């Protein structure tokens, strides 16, 4: 368990990445839209891709931050990553950002789970998408080059997908997320139909396995919540207590604010730097 003082020191250690943004703003990268035909979804999975300044000319390989948006959402919520890419550029951090859609018309809140043929969101995002990205972009094609980050429901998706697929991701961050599937209002847990399904969809139920899993596949796990986040603060504190009791290394912070964009924007630069610091050195 990383205690408060150690967390503060760790975040302070990454400040050089952030303060280097002082002075003239660096050349902007570019964001493009891409997609592929997903077997898991039986249709098109669209996503935004941000490429760092110099990507086209460098010939180098870059770590990838897979960024999951909140839910319920429109089919185009994946386009809203401007604050993420701006934070990277202000910190002069070099990475690829891939932001997949997590919802479609008529399916606005699938919680990033596998529901059956044509609605297998976990499989699409955790398995298919990295394969496509590694084939079509100059990514670092291994778990050591991949972070899975999400906010709100995307935080839940990031944690659950990473825990289920540690062979694919070595860094996971939740920004104001939760740790079991919820209804669209976020006020109650979803019943997935069986104790086994409910257990598999709960990060709390996976804690007992994590120590051995993280030993076999070293993973950096960090999460935060707003002090006034009435929906999810208690659950974040519960997971922190469970991880501490199980002696599983992690970073947990509580910041001033509620469940809102201003909190995510305020901490995006530091937490993206934290994620990239724990991936393979950038770029390669």
């Amino acid at each position: 368990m990383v205690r408060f003082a150690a967390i503060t020191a760790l975040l302070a250690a990454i400040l050089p990445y952030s303060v280097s943004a002082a002075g003239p703003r660096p050349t902007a990268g570019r964001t493009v839209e891409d997609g592929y035909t997903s077997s898991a979804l039986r249709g098109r999975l669209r996503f935004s891709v941000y490429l760092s300044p110099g990507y086209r000319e460098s010939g180098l390989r870059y770590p990838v931050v897979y960024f999951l948006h909140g839910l319920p959402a429109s089919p185009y919520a994946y386009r809203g990553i401007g604050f993420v890419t701006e934070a990277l550029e202000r910190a002069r951090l070099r990475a690829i950002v891939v932001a997949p859609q997590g919802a479609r018309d008529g399916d606005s809140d699938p919680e990033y789970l596998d529901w059956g043929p044509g609605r297998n969101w976990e499989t699409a995002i955790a398995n298919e998408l990295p394969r496509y990205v590694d084939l079509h972009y100059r990514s670092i094609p291994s778990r050591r080059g991949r972070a899975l980050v999400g906010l709100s429901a995307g935080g839940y998706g990031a944690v659950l997908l990473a825990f289920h697929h540690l062979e694919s991701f070595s860094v996971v961050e939740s920004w104001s997320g939760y740790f079991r599937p919820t209804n669209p209002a976020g006020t109650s847990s979803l019943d997935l139909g069986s104790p086994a399904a409910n257990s598999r969809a709960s990060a709390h139920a996976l804690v007992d396995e994590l120590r051995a899993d993280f030993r076999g596949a070293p993973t950096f796990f960090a999460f935060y919540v707003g002090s006034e986040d009435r929906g999810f603060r208690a659950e974040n504190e519960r997971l922190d207590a469970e991880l501490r009791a199980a002696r599983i290394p992690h970073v947990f912070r509580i910041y001033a604010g509620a469940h809102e964009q201003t909190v995510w924007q305020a901490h995006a630069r530091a937490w993206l730097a934290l994620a990239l610091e724990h991936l393979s050195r950038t770029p390669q």
Side-chain angles (χ1 to χ4, degrees):
M1 191 275 289
V2 182
R3 297 187 183 278
F4 182 84
I7 297 170
T8 302
L10 181 59
L11 291 175
I14 65 175
L15 282 179
Y17 292 90
S18 298
V19 301
S20 66
R25 188 168 179 180
T27 303
R30 63 191 182 104
T31 300
V32 299
E33 189 163 319
D34 200 350
Y36 68 92
T37 300
S38 165
S39 297
L41 298 179
R42 294 184 177 176
R44 192 89 171 152
L45 179 71
R46 294 169 293 189
F47 53 93
S48 292
V49 183
Y50 165 80
L51 304 172
S52 287
Y55 172 88
R56 183 179 296 176
E57 301 82 15
S58 72
L60 300 172
R61 289 191 173 273
Y62 295 79
V64 183
V65 175
Y66 289 86
F67 190 83
L68 306 186
H69 61 73
L71 298 169
S74 82
Y76 307 104
Y78 64 92
R79 294 174 177 169
I81 59 168
F83 81 100
V84 175
T85 62
E86 182 179 358
L88 285 173
E89 291 183 358
R90 289 190 178 279
R92 294 198 173 107
L93 295 167
R94 298 292 183 258
I96 296 170
V97 178
V98 175
Q101 68 180 119
R104 295 182 295 191
D105 287 329
D107 195 10
S108 65
D109 190 22
E111 295 288 278
Y112 295 100
L113 298 173
D114 279 351
W115 295 95
R119 291 190 71 209
N120 286 330
W121 290 92
E122 175 179 337
T123 298
I125 292 170
N127 292 339
E128 295 177 345
L129 183 59
R131 286 199 300 266
Y132 181 92
V133 169
D134 288 343
L135 282 172
H136 293 86
Y137 297 90
R138 290 199 315 278
S139 58
I140 297 172
S142 73
R143 71 182 302 271
R144 292 300 309 152
R146 302 189 195 112
L148 192 52
V149 178
L151 61 84
S152 191
Y156 165 68
V159 170
L160 195 75
L161 269 58
F163 286 2
H164 286 174
H165 301 273
L166 289 178
E167 76 283 355
S168 296
F169 305 97
S170 65
V171 170
V172 56
E173 289 184 358
S174 168
W175 302 358
S176 301
Y178 48 87
F179 305 107
R180 82 286 185 234
T182 71
N183 65 0
T187 55
S188 63
S189 298
L190 291 180
D191 183 350
L192 302 185
S194 72
N198 290 336
S199 179
R200 188 178 188 277
S202 168
H204 302 289
L206 299 175
V207 166
D208 288 344
E209 306 169 10
L210 283 184
R211 192 170 184 184
D213 290 346
F214 282 8
R215 189 182 303 119
T219 302
F220 176 74
F221 178 31
F223 56 106
Y224 73 75
V225 71
S227 59
E228 304 303 316
D229 191 333
R230 296 193 178 104
F232 303 129
R233 175 173 174 172
E235 187 178 9
N236 276 256
E237 292 176 320
R238 173 189 165 192
L239 184 64
D240 173 54
E242 291 167 344
L243 293 168
R244 285 188 286 109
R247 296 164 57 189
I248 296 170
H250 64 286
V251 171
F252 173 56
R253 291 295 301 266
I254 298 175
Y255 293 118
H259 195 81
E260 57 195 358
Q261 184 74 20
T262 54
V263 174
W264 307 324
Q265 287 179 309
H267 301 287
R269 183 163 59 178
W271 279 67
L272 289 166
L274 189 62
L276 291 171
E277 177 66 12
H278 286 82
L279 293 178
S280 297
R281 290 297 182 258
T282 63
Q284 292 194 3

